[in-house]
Amino acid sequence: MFSRACLLLLSCVLLAACGQVWNDPYPVAERDQNVMYTAFTDRPKHLDPVQSYSEDEAAFLYQIYEPPLQYHYLERPYTLIPGSAAQLPVVRRYDARGRELPADAPAGRVDRSEYEIRIAPGILYQPHPAFAKADDGSPRYLELDPDELEGVRDLGDFPETGTRELEAGDFVHQIKRLAHPRLHSPIFELMAEYIPGLKVLQKRLADEAQRNPGWIDLTAHALPGVEVVDRHTYRITLKGAYPQFLYWLSMPFFAPVPPEADRFFGQPGMAERNLTLDWWPIGTGPFMLAENNPNARMVLVRNPNYRGDPYPCEGDAADRDTGLLADCGKPMPFLDKVVFSREREGIPYWNKFLQGYYDASGVSSENFDQAVNMSSQGEVVLSDDMVERGIELLTSVSPSVFYLGFNMLDPVVGGGDTAAGRERARKLRQAISIALDMEEFVSIFLNGRGVPAMHPIPPGIFGARDGEAGINPVVYEWRDGKAVRRSKDVARRLLAEAGYPDGRDAKTGEPLIINLDTTPGGLGDKARSDWLAKQFRELGVQFVVRPTDYNRFQDKIREGNAQLFFFGWNADYPDPENMLFLLHGPQAKVRESGQNAANYQNDEYDRLFEQMKGMPDGPERQKIIDRMVAILQHDAPWIFGFHPKAYSLQHGWVENRKPGSMIRNTLKYQRVDLERRQALRAQWNQPVVWPLGLVALLLVVIVAPAFLHYRRRERATGVGGAA
């Protein structure tokens, strides 16, 4: 009995040494499947394309839905190409008398713009129960009674599915959904400025919603300005000129949603079971959502009805050298499944990446020193450990800006109503802009993962200039071929000219106090606050942090009660209008509830903005942008902080990943070398079996004397019995 147990334990130890690794978190059945593994930290709140406006949600939505347009995966600057559309939209502009204008006509002459969009024929939706048909051709799963929904918890519980071809009416249906009073689209107000019919439709739908608590049939309502031309063509008419609308056509807000989906999910009893479009999206893209457990795991699987568009054959000069053109012309997607596991903490995420159980990872402050080193030239390079593992580093400057904004309604930093007061405040803002060393901030708090900003426009977006032409001359000077921040002496001189020599009011002798309004986790964190206080102290200025909860902070910003605040903005599309509008007077937060949180207003800037926003890229537009940027640098309504750098790590078995924050439908391009991944996982996760062997040996040592004593007793008993 004892000997068999010992032999069994020893056998298990030996078998473990020869078998699969023990710490693999994934099912055995997936080991040979074409699966990519990644993670997410924050659960998606919305997967309905009319409501979603978050990067966390975009990771899923852009793989499932196909807007008319998309960005070329490899080309930089970002270039729009057809997505589900057969070609780029045909754009026609008309004046107030209905005469068609040339493409380069000034925006002020344009009364309306028509966008005619032709959809590629033959595109099919993913298999879905909303399309299932009964024998008589009627919808299989409509007018379900409660008994039929008993036990139903996800789409897989409906045994029958169907599909149909994508039609122009599906795009029109989705645009109507922007006006649905129960959906609360975040872009409704913006789009209603250009499609006035949306407000007309919203009023009609709101009236019907009051009478009808159930499903609203949008197909029974027309949307003025948006119409179906034929089965594969639709037309959108915008008020005035808005060339940036093409970029919006690359977002899920304008992706197709079939009316059948709204009808299916609108049935009684569906929402209570999380059977909604917000939980189970339906699209024509390369992947479809097969598992939705946002607290643990989300799974995308290949859409069997996807047409398989070809991998691009053109890109930047370096793309061929890095292997990004090796799959030229091959049908996509390359993956069969993508598994997203939720990781609430950074350390488990990082450890699983090092073990090979996640195919890619970001670089956080916690693992920065383990992942990368700084070279003597100040360049970021991979650490030796990462190089030995074959891990690759991808970097790019994000199309974002983080800034410290001055509330221009504040009498101290804004200057009040008099010209003299505004001039004093301008010099004060310039002095603070020079004194707050953003290079040091990026180095200390971001591990160098950022580029100090000279103005709102990030690198890589039209309007941003390089070299000496691109510096902020108020804050920097050009020396020895690089931008050098002006000295604290310059800041002190400006401070004195503002009426605060040595940080005290020249008239009253009272100390100058600057207040930073912030939220927990923002610049109010102690280390950052101490750093900021030190910068101000060197000017002789007192610095006070006024932390508050998020809702109260938002109230302060809306009411204009903040003085200095920290904000950031991620560009929605690669156009300078999407950054420069943040300082457009008619977008003021207090007066107009817009995105101009600084409440900055400059007549010349506003006039130039209205002229610039409708222009095509070119020398004339660049000239206007240069003047707008110079106005901002002179007036200093922001301390232009930094543009963050995105650092991403990937294992060597991952192919076709190229950084580009604007491009979010990336999974169809990526590929995994399964054999290489499996071999390296096994190498990095060899089970440590010697402790078990030691336990087995100790067990033998402990048990052996008792076993021998037992055997001797058995023999003695046997002999006595025979006598």
Side-chain angles (χ1 to χ4, degrees):
M1 176 179 176
F2 290 110
S3 60
R4 289 176 183 173
C6 294
L7 288 172
L8 180 60
L9 180 58
L10 286 169
S11 298
C12 289
V13 171
L14 293 171
L15 286 171
C18 302
Q20 293 287 346
V21 295
W22 296 354
N23 65 341
D24 192 336
Y26 306 118
V28 174
E30 286 184 357
R31 283 181 185 147
D32 296 322
Q33 294 181 7
N34 187 14
V35 182
M36 174 173 276
Y37 296 97
T38 185
F40 65 104
T41 55
D42 297 316
R43 57 174 293 169
K45 295 179 179 64
H46 294 292
L47 293 177
D48 185 333
V50 85
Q51 298 183 79
S52 173
Y53 208 8
S54 162
E55 290 292 337
D56 303 321
E57 299 153 0
F60 303 99
L61 280 184
Y62 277 83
Q63 325 312 321
I64 298 168
Y65 286 101
E66 283 192 297
L69 305 181
Q70 62 182 331
Y71 292 103
H72 192 288
Y73 185 55
L74 300 178
E75 289 182 358
R76 301 292 185 273
Y78 298 105
T79 305
L80 286 172
I81 61 173
S84 53
Q87 60 195 36
L88 292 177
V90 176
V91 183
R92 299 183 178 91
R93 296 178 170 189
Y94 298 90
D95 64 16
R97 298 174 62 182
R99 296 175 299 189
E100 186 170 353
L101 298 170
D104 59 353
R109 292 185 58 196
V110 179
D111 180 68
R112 73 181 192 276
S113 305
E114 287 185 357
Y115 290 74
E116 190 166 284
I117 304 158
R118 181 160 182 79
I119 301 306
I123 297 176
L124 297 177
Y125 280 101
Q126 67 184 64
H128 198 280
F131 298 125
K133 300 290 186 182
D135 292 339
D136 62 359
S138 63
R140 168 68 180 83
Y141 295 115
L142 277 190
E143 300 181 3
L144 298 172
D145 59 50
D147 291 340
E148 291 181 277
L149 287 176
E150 191 66 33
V152 173
R153 285 294 176 267
D154 60 48
L155 291 187
D157 293 328
F158 294 95
E160 298 178 39
T161 62
T163 188
R164 72 161 170 82
E165 185 179 0
L166 175 66
E167 298 178 353
D170 302 330
F171 293 87
V172 174
H173 181 77
Q174 166 67 351
I175 300 172
K176 291 179 183 179
R177 296 178 80 245
L178 294 174
H180 199 298
R182 296 175 186 153
L183 295 179
H184 309 293
S185 176
I187 70 165
F188 171 77
E189 291 295 338
L190 172 64
M191 287 301 144
E193 292 181 25
Y194 296 100
I195 310 175
L198 280 172
K199 289 194 173 180
V200 176
L201 176 60
Q202 186 191 54
K203 185 178 185 309
R204 289 203 303 262
L205 295 177
D207 292 341
E208 180 170 342
Q210 287 185 338
R211 301 189 304 269
N212 173 20
W215 169 70
I216 298 175
D217 184 7
L218 296 182
T219 62
H221 296 269
L223 172 55
V226 182
E227 59 183 325
V228 174
V229 177
D230 58 45
R231 186 182 181 192
H232 293 108
T233 310
Y234 66 105
R235 184 183 299 127
I236 302 172
T237 301
L238 302 184
K239 178 182 177 182
Y242 186 39
Q244 292 80 16
F245 185 66
L246 287 174
Y247 295 117
W248 287 101
L249 292 177
S250 72
M251 300 182 195
F253 295 114
F254 290 90
V257 169
E260 295 95 325
D262 276 340
R263 184 69 186 92
F264 172 78
F265 287 124
Q267 298 178 85
M270 288 286 195
E272 292 81 353
R273 293 168 171 80
N274 275 335
L275 294 172
T276 65
L277 200 67
D278 214 21
W279 196 268
W280 294 106
I282 169 174
T284 63
F287 295 97
M288 58 190 204
L289 188 63
E291 183 178 336
N292 185 352
N293 181 0
N295 290 319
R297 173 177 151 118
M298 309 275 286
V299 178
L300 297 175
V301 299
R302 179 194 291 261
N303 174 7
N305 296 335
Y306 189 63
R307 60 196 178 279
D309 52 332
Y311 185 88
C313 293
E314 297 178 352
D316 288 347
D319 290 339
R320 189 175 303 278
D321 297 335
T322 54
L324 283 169
L325 296 178
D327 286 323
C328 162
K330 294 179 182 177
M332 301 183 294
F334 300 113
L335 302 167
D336 293 330
K337 182 190 292 187
V338 184
V339 175
F340 296 79
S341 301
R342 187 170 185 190
E343 293 288 357
R344 293 175 173 84
E345 302 293 336
I347 292 176
Y349 190 166
W350 176 246
N351 288 337
K352 288 177 186 176
F353 170 70
L354 293 181
Q355 291 168 327
Y357 295 129
Y358 291 137
D359 295 315
S361 170
V363 181
S364 67
S365 298
E366 289 82 4
N367 57 49
F368 186 85
D369 292 335
Q370 188 178 354
V372 299
N373 297 321
M374 297 291 291
S375 71
S376 57
Q377 287 78 34
E379 296 178 353
V380 175
V381 295
L382 280 169
S383 67
D384 293 341
D385 183 45
M386 298 297 106
V387 172
E388 289 174 6
R389 289 173 174 265
I391 291 172
E392 300 168 0
L393 174 67
L394 304 177
T395 65
S396 65
V397 178
S398 300
S400 310
V401 63
F402 287 86
Y403 63 91
L404 282 154
F406 295 102
N407 177 18
M408 301 297 283
L409 300 180
D410 179 84
V412 175
V413 299
D417 297 329
T418 68
R422 290 193 295 271
E423 179 63 13
R424 287 180 60 189
R426 180 181 63 78
K427 291 188 175 183
L428 171 60
R429 296 192 301 270
Q430 289 181 345
I432 296 173
S433 296
I434 294 170
L436 296 193
D437 190 337
M438 281 298 126
E439 287 80 6
E440 185 176 299
F441 180 90
V442 168
S443 175
I444 294 174
F445 298 108
L446 300 177
N447 299 109
R449 290 172 297 164
V451 176
M454 302 292 175
H455 46 70
I457 307 173
I461 290 181
F462 182 83
R465 289 191 179 274
D466 297 324
E468 185 174 4
I471 70 169
N472 180 351
V474 172
V475 178
Y476 294 87
E477 55 184 327
W478 190 258
R479 289 206 311 254
D480 301 325
K482 62 181 180 180
V484 178
R485 181 173 289 270
R486 294 187 183 275
S487 71
K488 289 284 199 304
D489 289 338
V490 176
R492 294 186 187 98
R493 175 177 56 79
L494 286 167
L495 189 66
E497 292 175 4
Y500 301 101
D502 300 320
R504 289 185 173 273
D505 190 306
K507 294 180 180 179
T508 66
E510 294 293 321
L512 173 62
I513 301 174
I514 297 295
N515 301 291
L516 172 71
D517 291 279
T518 185
T519 57
L523 280 182
D525 283 356
K526 188 175 187 314
R528 294 175 176 84
S529 297
D530 290 346
W531 180 86
L532 284 167
K534 176 178 177 292
Q535 307 296 307
F536 279 101
R537 192 162 54 245
E538 291 180 3
L539 286 183
V541 176
Q542 294 187 23
F543 175 71
V544 176
V545 176
R546 300 192 297 201
T548 186
D549 65 79
Y550 181 76
N551 290 332
R552 178 62 188 136
F553 173 75
Q554 290 294 327
D555 288 342
K556 281 188 171 185
I557 297 296
R558 279 193 294 267
E559 295 163 5
N561 293 329
Q563 187 175 56
L564 183 67
F565 57 90
F566 181 67
F567 260 21
W569 181 263
N570 297 317
D572 292 307
Y573 42 84
D575 190 273
E577 177 263 353
N578 191 236
M579 309 302 295
L580 296 174
F581 92 108
L582 296 170
L583 289 156
H584 184 216
Q587 287 282 338
K589 177 67 71 175
V590 172
R591 189 174 64 251
E592 305 292 346
S593 299
Q595 295 296 335
N596 178 358
N599 299 294
Y600 172 70
Q601 196 273 327
N602 179 292
D603 291 341
E604 183 185 3
Y605 180 89
D606 293 343
R607 177 179 57 78
L608 292 172
F609 178 85
E610 295 295 345
Q611 183 180 351
M612 175 278 305
K613 71 175 186 179
M615 296 177 67
D617 291 347
E620 287 302 312
R621 194 182 198 208
Q622 181 69 63
K623 183 178 179 180
I624 292 174
I625 291 171
D626 289 343
R627 176 58 189 155
M628 294 174 67
V629 165
I631 292 171
L632 294 179
Q633 291 168 339
H634 176 75
D635 285 352
W638 291 359
I639 299 168
F640 302 107
F642 58 90
H643 307 294
K645 280 185 180 179
Y647 284 24
S648 175
L649 300 173
Q650 68 177 33
H651 287 291
W653 58 69
V654 180
E655 307 285 350
N656 299 340
R657 286 184 80 231
K658 181 172 182 175
S661 300
M662 285 289 171
I663 302 171
R664 298 176 175 93
N665 62 334
T666 57
L667 290 180
K668 68 179 179 179
Y669 301 96
Q670 297 180 37
R671 187 162 53 81
V672 172
D673 185 333
L674 301 177
E675 291 184 5
R676 186 178 178 190
R677 179 173 70 184
Q678 191 165 336
L680 287 173
R681 277 185 180 176
Q683 176 184 329
W684 296 339
N685 296 279
Q686 288 290 332
V688 181
V689 298
W690 67 262
L692 290 177
L694 181 59
V695 170
L697 181 60
L698 289 173
L699 184 60
V700 170
V701 171
I702 293 170
V703 171
F707 174 70
L708 292 174
H709 176 73
Y710 170 78
R711 291 299 301 267
R712 284 197 297 269
R713 183 177 176 183
E714 284 289 305
R715 289 196 198 97
T717 303
V719 171

CSV table of all heavy atoms in Angstrom, one decimal, residues 155-182:
chain,number,residue,atom,x,y,z
A,155,LEU,N,-26.2,35.2,-27.1
A,155,LEU,CA,-26.7,35.0,-28.4
A,155,LEU,C,-26.5,33.5,-28.8
A,155,LEU,O,-27.2,33.0,-29.7
A,155,LEU,CB,-25.9,35.9,-29.4
A,155,LEU,CG,-26.2,37.4,-29.4
A,155,LEU,CD1,-25.5,38.1,-30.5
A,155,LEU,CD2,-27.7,37.7,-29.4
A,156,GLY,N,-25.5,32.8,-28.2
A,156,GLY,CA,-25.3,31.4,-28.5
A,156,GLY,C,-26.5,30.5,-28.1
A,156,GLY,O,-26.6,29.4,-28.6
A,157,ASP,N,-27.4,31.1,-27.3
A,157,ASP,CA,-28.6,30.3,-26.9
A,157,ASP,C,-29.7,30.3,-27.9
A,157,ASP,O,-30.7,29.6,-27.8
A,157,ASP,CB,-29.1,30.8,-25.6
A,157,ASP,CG,-28.2,30.6,-24.4
A,157,ASP,OD1,-27.4,29.6,-24.4
A,157,ASP,OD2,-28.1,31.4,-23.5
A,158,PHE,N,-29.5,31.1,-29.0
A,158,PHE,CA,-30.4,31.0,-30.1
A,158,PHE,C,-29.8,30.1,-31.2
A,158,PHE,O,-28.8,30.4,-31.8
A,158,PHE,CB,-30.6,32.4,-30.7
A,158,PHE,CG,-31.3,33.4,-29.8
A,158,PHE,CD1,-30.6,34.3,-29.0
A,158,PHE,CD2,-32.7,33.4,-29.7
A,158,PHE,CE1,-31.2,35.2,-28.2
A,158,PHE,CE2,-33.4,34.3,-28.9
A,158,PHE,CZ,-32.6,35.2,-28.1
A,159,PRO,N,-30.3,28.9,-31.4
A,159,PRO,CA,-29.7,27.9,-32.3
A,159,PRO,C,-29.6,28.3,-33.7
A,159,PRO,O,-28.7,27.8,-34.5
A,159,PRO,CB,-30.5,26.7,-32.1
A,159,PRO,CG,-31.8,27.2,-31.6
A,159,PRO,CD,-31.6,28.4,-30.8
A,160,GLU,N,-30.5,29.2,-34.2
A,160,GLU,CA,-30.5,29.5,-35.6
A,160,GLU,C,-30.0,30.9,-35.9
A,160,GLU,O,-30.3,31.8,-35.1
A,160,GLU,CB,-32.0,29.3,-36.2
A,160,GLU,CG,-32.5,27.9,-36.0
A,160,GLU,CD,-33.9,27.8,-36.5
A,160,GLU,OE1,-34.3,28.5,-37.6
A,160,GLU,OE2,-34.7,27.1,-35.9
A,161,THR,N,-29.3,31.1,-36.9
A,161,THR,CA,-28.8,32.4,-37.3
A,161,THR,C,-29.0,32.6,-38.8
A,161,THR,O,-29.3,31.6,-39.5
A,161,THR,CB,-27.3,32.6,-37.0
A,161,THR,OG1,-26.5,31.6,-37.8
A,161,THR,CG2,-27.0,32.4,-35.5
A,162,GLY,N,-28.8,33.8,-39.3
A,162,GLY,CA,-28.8,34.1,-40.7
A,162,GLY,C,-27.9,35.3,-41.0
A,162,GLY,O,-27.2,35.8,-40.1
A,163,THR,N,-28.0,35.7,-42.2
A,163,THR,CA,-27.2,36.9,-42.6
A,163,THR,C,-28.0,37.6,-43.8
A,163,THR,O,-29.0,37.1,-44.3
A,163,THR,CB,-25.8,36.5,-43.0
A,163,THR,OG1,-25.0,37.7,-43.3
A,163,THR,CG2,-25.8,35.7,-44.3
A,164,ARG,N,-27.5,38.7,-44.2
A,164,ARG,CA,-27.9,39.3,-45.5
A,164,ARG,C,-26.9,40.3,-45.9
A,164,ARG,O,-25.9,40.6,-45.2
A,164,ARG,CB,-29.3,40.0,-45.3
A,164,ARG,CG,-29.3,41.3,-44.4
A,164,ARG,CD,-30.5,42.1,-44.7
A,164,ARG,NE,-30.7,43.2,-43.8
A,164,ARG,CZ,-30.1,44.4,-43.9
A,164,ARG,NH1,-29.2,44.6,-44.9
A,164,ARG,NH2,-30.3,45.4,-43.1
A,165,GLU,N,-27.1,40.8,-47.1
A,165,GLU,CA,-26.1,41.8,-47.7
A,165,GLU,C,-26.2,43.1,-47.1
A,165,GLU,O,-27.3,43.6,-46.7
A,165,GLU,CB,-26.3,41.9,-49.2
A,165,GLU,CG,-25.2,42.7,-49.9
A,165,GLU,CD,-25.4,42.8,-51.4
A,165,GLU,OE1,-26.4,42.2,-51.9
A,165,GLU,OE2,-24.6,43.5,-52.1
A,166,LEU,N,-25.1,43.8,-46.9
A,166,LEU,CA,-25.1,45.2,-46.4
A,166,LEU,C,-25.7,46.1,-47.5
A,166,LEU,O,-25.5,46.0,-48.7
A,166,LEU,CB,-23.6,45.6,-46.2
A,166,LEU,CG,-23.4,47.0,-45.8
A,166,LEU,CD1,-24.0,47.3,-44.4
A,166,LEU,CD2,-21.9,47.3,-45.8
A,167,GLU,N,-26.6,47.0,-47.0
A,167,GLU,CA,-27.3,48.0,-47.9
A,167,GLU,C,-27.1,49.4,-47.4
A,167,GLU,O,-26.8,49.7,-46.2
A,167,GLU,CB,-28.8,47.6,-47.9
A,167,GLU,CG,-29.1,46.2,-48.4
A,167,GLU,CD,-30.6,45.9,-48.4
A,167,GLU,OE1,-31.3,46.8,-47.9
A,167,GLU,OE2,-31.0,44.9,-49.0
A,168,ALA,N,-27.3,50.3,-48.3
A,168,ALA,CA,-27.1,51.7,-48.0
A,168,ALA,C,-28.1,52.2,-46.9
A,168,ALA,O,-27.7,53.0,-46.0
A,168,ALA,CB,-27.4,52.6,-49.2
A,169,GLY,N,-29.3,51.6,-46.8
A,169,GLY,CA,-30.2,51.9,-45.8
A,169,GLY,C,-29.8,51.6,-44.4
A,169,GLY,O,-30.2,52.3,-43.4
A,170,ASP,N,-28.8,50.7,-44.2
A,170,ASP,CA,-28.3,50.4,-42.9
A,170,ASP,C,-27.5,51.6,-42.3
A,170,ASP,O,-27.4,51.8,-41.1
A,170,ASP,CB,-27.4,49.1,-42.9
A,170,ASP,CG,-28.2,47.9,-43.4
A,170,ASP,OD1,-29.4,47.9,-43.2
A,170,ASP,OD2,-27.6,47.0,-44.1
A,171,PHE,N,-26.8,52.3,-43.2
A,171,PHE,CA,-26.0,53.4,-42.8
A,171,PHE,C,-26.9,54.6,-42.4
A,171,PHE,O,-26.7,55.3,-41.5
A,171,PHE,CB,-25.0,53.9,-43.9
A,171,PHE,CG,-23.9,52.9,-44.2
A,171,PHE,CD1,-24.1,51.8,-45.1
A,171,PHE,CD2,-22.7,53.0,-43.6
A,171,PHE,CE1,-23.1,50.9,-45.4
A,171,PHE,CE2,-21.7,52.1,-43.9
A,171,PHE,CZ,-21.9,51.1,-44.7
A,172,VAL,N,-28.0,54.8,-43.2
A,172,VAL,CA,-29.0,55.8,-42.9
A,172,VAL,C,-29.6,55.5,-41.6
A,172,VAL,O,-29.9,56.4,-40.8
A,172,VAL,CB,-30.0,55.9,-44.1
A,172,VAL,CG1,-31.1,56.9,-43.7
A,172,VAL,CG2,-29.3,56.4,-45.4
A,173,HIS,N,-29.9,54.2,-41.4
A,173,HIS,CA,-30.6,53.9,-40.1
A,173,HIS,C,-29.7,54.2,-38.9
A,173,HIS,O,-30.2,54.7,-37.9
A,173,HIS,CB,-30.8,52.3,-40.1
A,173,HIS,CG,-31.5,51.8,-38.9
A,173,HIS,ND1,-32.8,52.0,-38.6
A,173,HIS,CD2,-31.0,51.2,-37.8
A,173,HIS,CE1,-33.1,51.5,-37.4
A,173,HIS,NE2,-32.0,51.0,-36.9
A,174,GLN,N,-28.4,54.0,-39.0
A,174,GLN,CA,-27.5,54.3,-37.9
A,174,GLN,C,-27.4,55.8,-37.7
A,174,GLN,O,-27.4,56.3,-36.5
A,174,GLN,CB,-26.1,53.8,-38.2
A,174,GLN,CG,-25.0,54.3,-37.3
A,174,GLN,CD,-25.1,53.9,-35.9
A,174,GLN,OE1,-26.0,53.3,-35.4
A,174,GLN,NE2,-24.0,54.2,-35.1
A,175,ILE,N,-27.4,56.6,-38.8
A,175,ILE,CA,-27.4,58.1,-38.6
A,175,ILE,C,-28.7,58.5,-37.9
A,175,ILE,O,-28.6,59.4,-37.0
A,175,ILE,CB,-27.2,58.8,-39.9
A,175,ILE,CG1,-25.9,58.3,-40.6
A,175,ILE,CG2,-27.2,60.3,-39.8
A,175,ILE,CD1,-25.7,58.8,-42.0
A,176,LYS,N,-29.8,57.9,-38.2
A,176,LYS,CA,-31.0,58.2,-37.5
A,176,LYS,C,-30.9,57.9,-36.0
A,176,LYS,O,-31.4,58.6,-35.1
A,176,LYS,CB,-32.2,57.4,-38.1
A,176,LYS,CG,-32.6,57.8,-39.4
A,176,LYS,CD,-33.8,56.9,-39.9
A,176,LYS,CE,-34.2,57.2,-41.3
A,176,LYS,NZ,-35.3,56.3,-41.7
A,177,ARG,N,-30.2,56.9,-35.7
A,177,ARG,CA,-30.0,56.5,-34.3
A,177,ARG,C,-29.3,57.6,-33.4
A,177,ARG,O,-29.4,57.6,-32.2
A,177,ARG,CB,-29.3,55.1,-34.2
A,177,ARG,CG,-30.0,54.0,-34.8
A,177,ARG,CD,-29.3,52.7,-34.8
A,177,ARG,NE,-29.4,52.1,-33.4
A,177,ARG,CZ,-28.4,51.9,-32.6
A,177,ARG,NH1,-27.2,52.3,-32.9
A,177,ARG,NH2,-28.6,51.3,-31.4
A,178,LEU,N,-28.5,58.4,-34.1
A,178,LEU,CA,-27.9,59.5,-33.4
A,178,LEU,C,-28.9,60.4,-32.7
A,178,LEU,O,-28.6,61.0,-31.7
A,178,LEU,CB,-27.0,60.4,-34.4
A,178,LEU,CG,-25.8,59.8,-35.0
A,178,LEU,CD1,-25.2,60.7,-36.1
A,178,LEU,CD2,-24.7,59.4,-34.0
A,179,ALA,N,-30.1,60.5,-33.3
A,179,ALA,CA,-31.2,61.3,-32.7
A,179,ALA,C,-32.1,60.6,-31.8
A,179,ALA,O,-33.0,61.2,-31.3
A,179,ALA,CB,-32.0,61.9,-33.9
A,180,HIS,N,-31.8,59.3,-31.5
A,180,HIS,CA,-32.8,58.5,-30.7
A,180,HIS,C,-32.7,59.1,-29.2
A,180,HIS,O,-31.6,59.2,-28.6
A,180,HIS,CB,-32.4,57.1,-30.7
A,180,HIS,CG,-33.4,56.1,-30.2
A,180,HIS,ND1,-34.0,56.2,-29.0
A,180,HIS,CD2,-34.1,55.2,-30.9
A,180,HIS,CE1,-34.9,55.3,-28.9
A,180,HIS,NE2,-35.0,54.6,-30.0
A,181,PRO,N,-33.8,59.5,-28.7
A,181,PRO,CA,-33.8,60.1,-27.4
A,181,PRO,C,-33.4,59.2,-26.2
A,181,PRO,O,-33.0,59.7,-25.2
A,181,PRO,CB,-35.3,60.6,-27.2
A,181,PRO,CG,-36.1,59.7,-28.0
A,181,PRO,CD,-35.2,59.4,-29.2
A,182,ARG,N,-33.4,57.9,-26.4
A,182,ARG,CA,-33.0,57.0,-25.4
A,182,ARG,C,-31.5,56.5,-25.5
A,182,ARG,O,-31.0,55.8,-24.6
A,182,ARG,CB,-33.9,55.7,-25.4
A,182,ARG,CG,-35.3,56.1,-25.1
A,182,ARG,CD,-36.2,54.8,-25.2
A,182,ARG,NE,-37.6,55.2,-25.1
A,182,ARG,CZ,-38.6,54.5,-25.7
A,182,ARG,NH1,-38.3,53.4,-26.4
A,182,ARG,NH2,-39.9,54.9,-25.5
